[in-house]
Amino acid sequence: MSPEEFDREVRQLEGMRLKQIRYYEHPGSYPAWRGLSVLDDISYGVDLIGEDRSFCVTWDNTFIDHGLGIFEGILLDRLHDTLVTNVTQGSRWSSLVGQRILEARVHWYLVTEVQPDDLEKYPQSIELLFEQGDVVLLSAAMPQPGTQSLLEMSENVVVLFGDDTIREHAIGGSRSAR
């Protein structure tokens, strides 16, 4: 898949009216997403379910190990053993249910290997802008204990709600690529 094809996949979220959200975590664990006050921390990924279509967002290796991936359908079709939690009403998503996604955009980042000329671009995050101005960022990242920082390129998905929270936990900074 090319970056342009990935961007097109993500833009399919535009116009979707959000109906339901499900989180996927390690089986047997207490729902970890409830443990942090400023973001949701999910081990596998998220289903974004609309009125007529669904997409799942998860960490993936399409471009590089532990970037972000998006697929039409639900994540349960891709996983064998997982804890599934419907977070539609019991989370920060509740105020977004019924809203349309106006814009869906990929945050591409650069990875430099041993040689500075060897640059690889991968999708670190997907930003969603809703019709009432709300912003949500889904990212392949993991919270660092005792800090406000996030470890990028992780086997984990975090969800950040609102511009202030997204800025506070700035992911990538100068490594962003368009």
Side-chain angles (χ1 to χ4, degrees), residues 10-175:
V10 169
R11 282 195 309 273
Q12 289 186 66
L13 293 169
E14 294 175 353
M16 187 171 86
R17 186 177 302 279
L18 206 54
K19 181 179 172 185
Q20 187 180 69
I21 303 89
R22 289 189 295 231
Y23 285 172
Y24 292 80
E25 298 178 272
H26 293 292
S29 65
Y30 181 77
W33 64 271
R34 292 186 181 151
L36 301 169
S37 62
V38 295
L39 58 86
D40 289 352
D41 178 22
I42 307 117
S43 47
Y44 291 131
V46 179
D47 281 343
L48 301 172
I49 300 169
E51 295 173 324
D52 58 351
R53 56 194 167 155
S54 301
F55 293 89
C56 58
V57 178
T58 186
W59 55 271
D60 177 71
N61 65 355
T62 298
F63 292 90
I64 192 167
D65 283 347
H66 318 316
L68 211 57
I70 184 168
F71 307 94
E72 192 159 5
I74 60 172
L75 195 52
L76 191 58
D77 293 341
R78 298 176 169 276
L79 297 173
H80 301 296
D81 194 18
T82 184
L83 170 65
V84 182
T85 307
N86 182 333
V87 298
T88 306
Q89 296 302 321
S91 72
R92 289 171 270 246
W93 287 101
S94 63
S95 65
L96 302 172
V97 173
Q99 286 193 47
R100 286 196 190 281
I101 298 171
L102 293 182
E103 186 178 346
R105 147 176 103 101
V106 181
H107 290 248
W108 292 95
Y109 290 9
L110 295 175
V111 173
T112 57
E113 298 300 324
V114 179
Q115 301 297 323
D117 295 336
D118 186 17
L119 297 177
E120 190 165 355
K121 185 166 126 170
Y122 75 97
Q124 175 62 49
S125 304
I126 296 173
E127 183 176 348
L128 305 175
L129 174 63
F130 288 84
E131 63 187 341
Q132 293 182 5
D134 297 293
V135 179
V136 173
L137 186 79
L138 298 106
S139 189
M142 183 175 294
Q144 294 301 290
T147 72
Q148 292 293 324
S149 64
L150 297 170
L151 177 64
E152 303 160 353
M153 289 178 34
S154 296
E155 292 180 349
N156 198 65
V157 176
V158 294
V159 183
L160 300 130
F161 297 86
D163 286 326
D164 291 341
T165 303
I166 293 168
R167 268 192 304 278
E168 181 181 332
H169 291 33
I171 299 174
S174 63
R175 297 185 330 128

